[in-house]
Amino acid sequence: VEGVARTLLSFGRLSRGLPFGRAHGLSSRDPLLPLAPRSQENADPQRTAFLLRKQWTLYSVTPLYRFSNAHLRDYARLLSAFIAAEKQKGLAVEVGVELDIKVAVSSLPYLKGSDQDQAAILVQLSSRSPASPKNSEEKLIWSGWFCCVSGDDLSKNVPEDFTCLPLFLVNGAECYTSIVGSWFQKTFDCSFRRLAISPLILSWMAAMWTGCKVDKTASAMELVFSVPCLPQPLDISYAIHPEDAKALWDTVQKTPGEIIQEEVDVFMDCLYSHFHRHFRIHLSATKLVKVSTAIASAHCDGIIKFLQSQYLTGVLMLLTELAISQIE
Amino acid sequence: HLATSLPLPPERDHLRPRIDLVAFMIDIKSKYSLKNVEASLAYVDDSFFLGKVCFLVTGVGRVNYCSVEMNAIRNLGEVYCSPVLFCELEVEGSQVATAQRLLRMLEICAGHVPGVSALSFSSLMRNCADD
């Protein structure tokens, strides 16, 4: 009953399919109602273009204590000082390169799912070599953004002083990630954890994203499997023509806008049987490690790439859900 | 006696001792293992499902390797009225504890424990379901 009431507005039902996710006390007969990412016609592709086609490493973040949108400039200043201090200690940065690092912290109000969500916060580190002239171009060397898309399940349970931005996405060198991470941890008493994506969730992504309509010619759907228990690591890459994949998914999915575990299983089983027929290999005994479709690609180590701006929010909704599961 | 699937080869039937307990192993990292178990269940005589069958699910220590959905496993236990034991056979402590549990169950199924029969496993299951 709870599921039906929260149906088309909230994405959050994927957690009922997560093996160790939040317990909702539902029997396995209830259909799971996660929505495939819906195309956002009113999304401004210009504003989100810088997020596309970059590899983002995912983290889950516990709620931030006493974080305020009004103090972003101050945070930038403090973080900048922190980075400079770390450099002095010799802890920062790439060896042998003397860089002047500038920090910018800004808000991305258009990246949210519902009004209850916190606006996304973007942190960018740029550098300029001190040797070059004052007005020369700064080079962006590191980006990280916190966001929360349809994270009502978390934010409604959290006391007043806390800000919920459970998903953190990073692009850039690990050394900067750890410095920025430590600063946030110290300042807002939060903690970061790498977000891993299980093969079960990757199969969901494969099914969900295959069903999404894409304007231009879609790229092939690719699944990468890692074969266990071999002396030398072996990866199997299985590429499927996007139209074939979509046609298969369309025959499997019963109700548009709803996806249930059985449908994902049937979809994947069809792909596995097809492969077995040709190669006599049981892909179901291997570990699915990466899924690439036209709208996004995801790796089990918690790495994502967004490829279509109109589905950005939809994918973020799923990732927010995963991050919340990991926190709880 | 270990087998990768059922039915057992008929050639050795006459040499095989009485079977008191069938433990089906499912590796949470392998969807294939679940399918294999589901297919093998068809070859088990109905009388075994009165407490002489159990499901052993391993790999539960590593959530991020999960390829099998928990609901599917729970369903299996419910449909076949058999207990589901979770373990992590790659960890020595869990290996030993699991072996001890299985041994205890086996003793009961073989009738070596006076006053307790294999039927108690099934009735335990049913009580939980009624709750």
Side-chain angles (χ1 to χ4, degrees), chain A residues 16-20 26 28 32 196-201 261 265 269 272 282 284-288 326, chain B residues 28-33 35 59-72 74-75 78 86:
Chain A
R16 287 167 194 162
L18 288 175
F20 300 96
L26 293 178
S28 56
L32 301 169
I197 308 178
S198 71
L200 204 55
I201 302 298
Q261 181 67 49
D265 288 342
D269 284 343
Y272 291 161
H282 288 286
S284 54
T286 65
K287 181 186 178 201
L288 177 57
Q326 188 166 276
Chain B
I28 237 176
K29 303 192 290 293
S30 163
K31 188 90 191 277
Y32 177 72
S33 69
K35 293 248 173 280
V60 294
R62 312 234 239 137
V63 179
N64 296 324
Y65 279 67
C66 199
S67 290
V68 175
E69 214 233 340
M70 265 309 139
N71 273 339
R74 257 178 246 133
N75 265 347
E78 277 171 24
F86 294 96

Side-chain angles (χ1 to χ4, degrees), chain A residues 17 30 34 37 63 65 78 101 107 132 145 170 202 221 233 257 265 267 310:
Chain A
D30 290 333
Y65 184 62
L78 291 169
I101 297 190
S107 159
S132 56
W145 45 298
V170 173
L202 285 175
M221 168 160 115
D265 288 342
F267 178 68
Q310 74 257 46

Side-chain angles (χ1 to χ4, degrees), chain A residues 17-277:
Chain A
L18 288 175
F20 300 96
R22 299 168 276 168
H24 283 271
L26 293 178
S27 80
S28 56
R29 280 191 305 276
D30 290 333
L32 301 169
L33 302 173
L35 300 176
R38 266 214 232 89
S39 174
Q40 313 254 139
E41 282 83 26
N42 53 359
D44 184 357
Q46 294 272 12
R47 295 189 294 183
T48 54
F50 74 101
L51 299 172
L52 302 183
R53 284 173 292 277
K54 268 202 183 86
Q55 197 158 278
W56 299 100
T57 303
L58 302 172
Y59 291 81
S60 66
V61 188
T62 56
L64 294 93
Y65 184 62
R66 295 240 171 107
F67 176 91
S68 162
N69 259 352
H71 298 138
L72 299 184
R73 281 239 175 79
D74 296 331
Y75 298 151
R77 212 178 8 92
L78 291 169
L79 179 54
S80 192
F82 184 74
I83 294 176
E86 294 293 297
K87 262 173 66 180
Q88 291 280 28
K89 284 196 243 169
L91 290 177
V93 230
E94 302 149 75
V95 179
V97 184
E98 256 311 302
L99 289 178
D100 195 16
I101 297 190
K102 181 166 164 264
V103 178
V105 180
S106 56
S107 159
L108 304 172
Y110 47 89
L111 276 184
K112 49 155 84 174
S114 65
D115 286 326
Q116 286 93 323
D117 288 333
Q118 278 292 318
I121 302 291
L122 173 67
V123 179
Q124 288 174 307
L125 303 186
S126 329
S127 74
R128 179 177 47 223
S129 163
S132 56
K134 231 15 188 168
N135 52 3
S136 73
E137 258 196 37
E138 283 171 355
K139 192 174 140 222
L140 180 64
I141 57 170
W142 184 97
S143 309
W145 45 298
F146 296 85
C147 81
C148 182
V149 178
S150 298
D152 315 337
D153 283 349
L154 180 66
S155 48
K156 66 175 190 250
N157 291 329
V158 134
E160 278 277 321
D161 290 331
F162 286 89
T163 305
C164 287
L165 287 165
L167 187 64
F168 184 56
L169 305 92
V170 173
N171 175 280
E174 168 61 31
C175 55
Y176 295 120
T177 306
S178 71
I179 297 179
V180 174
S182 325
W183 185 80
F184 272 89
Q185 287 186 146
K186 279 214 283 246
T187 315
F188 303 107
D189 202 22
C190 58
S191 81
F192 292 77
R193 241 178 90 194
R194 276 294 291 265
L195 184 66
I197 308 178
S198 71
L200 204 55
I201 302 298
L202 285 175
S203 317
W204 271 90
M205 290 171 169
M208 258 195 276
W209 296 345
T210 296
C212 295
K213 285 201 222 357
V214 210
D215 296 329
K216 354 181 194 43
T217 329
S219 49
M221 168 160 115
E222 194 198 350
L223 303 173
V224 180
F225 300 83
S226 156
V227 186
C229 311
L230 289 181
Q232 275 149 332
L234 173 68
D235 276 355
I236 298 176
S237 166
Y238 184 8
I240 301 138
H241 194 278
E243 276 161 29
D244 292 342
K246 183 150 195 331
L248 173 61
W249 178 244
D250 287 342
T251 64
V252 172
Q253 187 184 27
K254 300 286 180 307
T255 322
E258 275 179 28
I259 301 178
I260 58 176
Q261 181 67 49
E262 281 88 337
E263 289 168 351
V264 177
D265 288 342
V266 169
F267 178 68
M268 296 305 290
D269 284 343
C270 285
L271 296 177
Y272 291 161
S273 323
H274 181 82
F275 195 86
H276 182 253
R277 219 173 301 132

